[in-house]
Amino acid sequence: MAVSFLDLSRQHEPLKKELLHAIEQVIDSSEYILGSAVARFEQNFAQRLKASHCVGVNSGTDALLLTLHALGIQPGDQVICPAFGYVAMADVIPRMGAHIVFADINEHFTIDVEHVRQLMNENTRAVIAAHTFGRMADVETLAQMTAEQGVHLIEDCSHACGAEINGRPAGTWGTAGAFSFSPERNLGCIGDGGAIVTNNPELAQRLRLYRDHGAEAENRYVEIGYNSRLDAIQAAILDVKLGTLDEDNADREANAAFYQNHLSSEVFALPDPGPEGSHVFNYYTIRSTMRDQLRSFLKDRMVDTRIYYPVPLHLQPCFEYLGYTEGHIPVAEQMAKEVLSLPVSPGLTRQELEEVAHTIDLFAQTYTTPTAG
Ligand SMILES: Cc1ncc(COP(=O)(O)O)c(C=O)c1O
């Protein structure tokens, strides 16, 4: 039986009528750029996250970029980000002329708080902490530590829409929370989209300026900005899908719990769900020292998996100029060799989950696999 990693059409099927109606409403409204559909979604998303402001933008990348710009990050500044994750967390930093400082990660794939503490110096202006794979970073410690030093904490919530710790949502622990709504995300649109949430009204105001060429009013440009607006049709789609976010996250958590109960924690390192609600499993990522063999074993049996992320950021060619080499950031390097993400999205059937677990079990029985790291 074939199991695909992610079948988005299956997720959209039950919502199709509502989605088409939402698109039709935008078409009929003639408000295609920053109209009421964008405003409505921003209001609903801010409310859902208990944040004062939400600014819709065209991608998660620009959510990070505009945040750095609006915070005045400039040449001479240092920004710390994790060495393991998606490239956008890091490549936005030199675009501001600032210096990237890579921090290592912990066994939950999130930024190592103690390493951040060691790396912070008088030039550090911001820390980008990603809630990698949906598991929230240690935001309680990070928020306190950065606030004490007058450093901005920017949460990259791209994988963790709807996650929370002690009832406080991801995105509201620091200066700002950046979200990607690309299709694979827990809240994903049908194309590109993103947003920033913040409780700082001046920051929200600057973000609104920057996303729209610095336009304060029609034909009046007070800052040099970007065209980074959230598309009206994508906003309308997101508004519909926001209605099923909690249900979808509950499905993801149930699928993860199935794996937790059916995969051998003696053979594989399984992800720790953490405190209740703090992991929303955008990805279910296990570790094995025989990762590549396991992946091809699964592929031969038509179980689709992904490797996020096979190369740590400090070893990517585009960051060679920073001078990092193998051995500099050991945990990130080890994780990159061992991680394997399994299908976990809502809509997976029990039969499919059983197929994945059974095939992995077969692998474990066929090979002697030492516990990952
Ligand atoms: C952690 C993280 N941050 C940022 C981004 C960038 O988002 P986008 O693709 O919407 O620009 C991604 C994209 O997958 C991501 O995974």
Side-chain angles (χ1 to χ4, degrees), residues 224-275:
I224 295 170
Y226 308 79
N227 177 356
S228 293
R229 301 172 298 236
L230 176 62
D231 182 79
I233 286 183
Q234 299 300 347
I237 285 166
L238 287 167
D239 214 30
V240 171
K241 292 186 72 180
L242 187 57
T244 60
L245 175 67
D246 290 336
E247 205 181 302
D248 290 348
N249 281 347
D251 279 355
R252 288 176 183 278
E253 286 169 52
N255 293 344
F258 177 90
Y259 286 141
Q260 219 77 12
N261 292 330
H262 289 82
L263 299 180
S264 166
S265 58
E266 276 156 32
V267 181
F268 308 102
L270 305 179
D272 174 358

Side-chain angles (χ1 to χ4, degrees), residues 32 91 103 120 123 157 278 324 355:
Y32 302 149
D91 68 12
M120 286 213 299
N123 295 322
C157 309
S278 67
Y324 290 94
E355 180 73 12

